[in-house]
Amino acid sequence: MEPYFAPLLIAVAAAAAAGRLCVLLRPLLVRYALARPNARSSHRIPTPQGGGIAVLAGAFLALGLVLLFMPLPAGARDTLLLVMAASVLLAIVGAWDDIKPLPAWLRLILQALCVGLVLLYAAPDVRLFPALPLPLERALALFAGVWFVNLTNFMDGIDWITVMGIVPLCGALALCGILGPLDQGSGLLAAALLGGLVGFAPFNKPSARLFLGDVGSLPIGLLTAYLLYRLAGTGALTAALILPLYHVLDSTITLLRRLARGEKVWEAHRSHFYQQATNNGYAVSEIVAQVALLNLGLIVLGAMTIAFPNFWVQFAGLFAALLLTGILLRRFSRKRFSLAG
C-alpha cells in the first residue's frame, strides 16, 4: 500500500461520515442544543450546537475501520484507542457543559484528568527537556495541555475559524506521518481529524447553520495538543510551536490582558483579536481567510525548521512566524482602512 493511501482514505471517509452525521443530527440539535446569543457570541440568532459529535464520530469511525485492516507497529493501535477514549470522555464533559454549564473549577479538573490520562499512558516516552526532572516536565506538559484544550474552545467564536485553524495544521501533521518525522499512527489520527472537520465545514461556513459546541472544541483541542506533543517529541519542537501560533498567541495575549485588568477570565467576553476584527470592519469571511493564509505560511516555516534543524534556521523560522502572526493580530486590532471613510 502506498504510504499516502491510508491517510487519504481515512480523510475522505471521515469527511463523508461527518457530513452525513451533521445532516442527521441537526434536527435533533435544533430541538435540544440551541446556542443562544450571549456576550461572547458573534451570531445574532439561536443556532444549534453539537456539530463536534459528527466531527469526532466521523473521524473515529473512519480511523477505526482502517485500523481493522491495516497493521501498525506494536503498541501504536492501543495508543490510538486510548487517545480516542480520552477524547470521548472530554467530549462528554463538553456536552454536559453545553447543556448545563459546569462550574469552572470542575470543568478544569475533568479536563486535567483527560489530559493527564493521555500524557501518562499514550505519550509516556516523550521527553522534550531531559535536563528537567520528569515530574516537573510532566506538570508543565499537563498545564500546557489543559491550556491548549481551553484555548481551542476560546478560539471557536466565529464561523469557520476552527476549521481554518485546525484543518491546515492537521494536513501538515498528516504529511509528517507520511514523510516523517511523525509516527504513522499519529499521522493517521491527524488525517481523521482533518476529514471530520472538512465534513463539518459546509455546515459551519458563514453564516453557520451548526456550531461545534464544547462537545467538539474541547476534544479537538486535546487531539491537536497530543499530535503537536508527539511532533515536538521527535525533535521538531520549533515546528510544533510554529504550527498553532495564531491560536496560541491570540488566546494567550487576550487572557493575560484580561488578567491584568482584573476581569473574571472564566466569563464570556469579546476581547479576542478575531472578535475585535468583527468590530473593526472585517467580515467573518475575511477574518477566517486571513487566518487560513497565515496558517499556510506557518506550515512553510514549520517545514523549513524540520528540513534544516540547525539553530539559526530554527531561530529564523520562529522569529518569522512570530512576526507574521503579530502583524495579523495588530491588523485585527485596528479599524479597517476604508477609502469611503
Side-chain angles (χ1 to χ4, degrees):
M1 180 183 292
E2 295 293 335
Y4 60 81
F5 182 75
L8 180 61
L9 176 62
I10 287 174
V12 171
R20 183 58 182 164
L21 286 168
C22 284
V23 172
L24 294 175
L25 286 172
R26 191 174 181 278
L28 188 66
L29 297 172
V30 167
R31 185 172 181 180
Y32 295 107
L34 276 182
R36 301 189 182 278
N38 59 34
R40 181 190 167 203
S41 303
S42 295
H43 65 291
R44 297 180 180 178
I45 60 173
T47 304
Q49 59 185 343
I53 298 171
V55 173
L56 280 191
F60 290 169
L61 178 63
L63 182 59
L65 288 175
V66 170
L67 291 181
L68 286 176
F69 305 102
M70 179 178 179
L72 284 179
R77 190 184 307 270
D78 292 341
T79 295
L80 284 177
L81 290 174
L82 190 145
V83 173
M84 291 160 67
S87 300
V88 170
L89 289 175
L90 194 52
I92 293 171
V93 174
W96 187 0
D97 202 37
D98 282 333
I99 297 169
K100 184 178 180 180
L102 296 169
W105 63 269
L106 179 57
R107 189 165 60 240
L108 282 173
I109 289 173
L110 294 173
Q111 291 169 1
L113 287 174
C114 293
V115 172
L117 181 66
V118 170
L119 280 175
L120 291 177
Y121 297 105
D125 55 327
V126 176
R127 292 298 306 269
L128 303 186
F129 307 105
L132 292 178
L134 181 59
L136 177 58
E137 181 174 337
R138 287 286 183 262
L140 292 172
L142 178 64
F143 176 82
V146 171
W147 174 230
F148 201 93
V149 165
N150 279 280
L151 74 84
T152 305
N153 175 242
F154 296 159
M155 292 295 293
D156 188 43
I158 59 173
D159 304 338
W160 255 13
I161 194 165
T162 297
V163 171
M164 293 303 181
I166 304 300
V167 165
L169 189 156
C170 284
L173 292 170
L175 282 175
C176 284
I178 296 170
L179 305 174
L182 201 59
D183 63 278
Q184 184 183 27
S186 296
L188 296 177
L189 179 60
L193 182 55
L194 181 156
L197 283 167
V198 168
F200 165 74
F203 301 88
N204 189 240
K205 69 178 181 179
S207 295
R209 294 180 289 146
L210 186 61
F211 295 154
L212 278 175
D214 288 3
V215 68
S217 60
L218 295 180
I220 287 171
L222 176 61
L223 292 170
T224 308
Y226 168 75
L227 292 169
L228 290 169
Y229 189 54
R230 276 286 181 190
L231 179 64
T234 68
L237 175 60
T238 306
L241 294 173
I242 288 173
L243 290 175
L245 198 57
Y246 176 79
H247 270 50
V248 170
L249 284 188
D250 189 324
S251 53
T252 303
I253 294 171
T254 299
L255 177 71
L256 294 176
R257 283 178 169 178
R258 296 190 71 210
L259 284 171
R261 292 194 294 262
E263 297 180 15
K264 296 177 180 178
V265 296
W266 55 88
E267 293 184 347
H269 66 97
R270 285 185 51 80
S271 304
H272 284 286
F273 287 87
Y274 71 86
Q275 291 169 324
Q276 293 177 44
T278 63
N279 297 328
N280 288 333
Y282 290 89
V284 169
S285 57
E286 294 174 317
I287 297 168
V288 296
Q290 291 183 59
V291 170
L293 286 173
L294 171 65
N295 284 327
L296 292 176
L298 295 179
I299 288 171
V300 172
L301 293 171
M304 180 183 73
T305 66
I306 292 174
F308 304 100
N310 72 74
F311 171 79
W312 289 110
V313 174
Q314 307 298 302
F315 177 83
L318 184 57
F319 178 82
L322 288 167
L323 180 63
L324 290 174
T325 306
I327 289 171
L328 184 57
L329 293 175
R330 181 177 174 83
R331 178 181 300 166
F332 284 170
S333 68
R334 299 290 189 272
K335 286 290 184 183
R336 182 177 181 180
F337 175 76
S338 172
L339 291 176

